[in-house]
Amino acid sequence: QVQLQESGPGLVKPSQTLSLTCTVSGGSITTNSYFWGWIRQPPGKGLEWMGAISYSGSTVYSPSLKSRTSISRDTSKNQFTLQLSSVTPEDTAVYYCARGLGSWYVYDYWGQGTQVTVSS
């Protein structure tokens, strides 16, 4: 069974770059038809899809975050990484990584989530 685990700093200062890594076990991120995404949930709000990277390494981003978001991968470590630049307190959220099967937007396995707070 695939498992995903987010890691990264829990506190980021405004204007800095948020960087999170998702480590995948129980399956390869290069397996055909799988997509690996980042989703966040600000306090008191719903889930927001941020972007994803495919099994082949192509990426798709949310239009509202595209200018600040980058997703990359390290296949040797079976990890994929989120970078969100120029963060503000509005980027405070629980950040999740997840696996999609055959879709950029529908996910069947999720990490437990990690809280990131943007504050000086």
Side-chain angles (χ1 to χ4, degrees), residues 54-77:
S54 75
Y55 57 93
S56 64
S58 58
T59 54
V60 173
Y61 301 108
S62 167
S64 64
L65 296 170
K66 185 176 182 179
S67 64
R68 299 195 291 131
T69 306
S70 177
I71 298 174
S72 59
R73 65 180 185 171
D74 185 335
T75 58
S76 67
K77 296 181 179 179

Side-chain angles (χ1 to χ4, degrees), residues 73-114:
R73 65 180 185 171
D74 185 335
T75 58
S76 67
K77 296 181 179 179
N78 216 36
Q79 295 174 333
F80 61 105
T81 299
L82 169 73
Q83 290 193 311
L84 181 67
S85 63
S86 304
V87 297
T88 72
E90 285 65 43
D91 293 308
T92 294
V94 177
Y95 285 75
Y96 299 91
C97 60
R99 187 194 80 170
L101 176 59
S103 171
W104 291 100
Y105 309 107
V106 180
Y107 297 92
D108 55 356
Y109 285 93
W110 294 64
Q112 64 183 22
T114 186

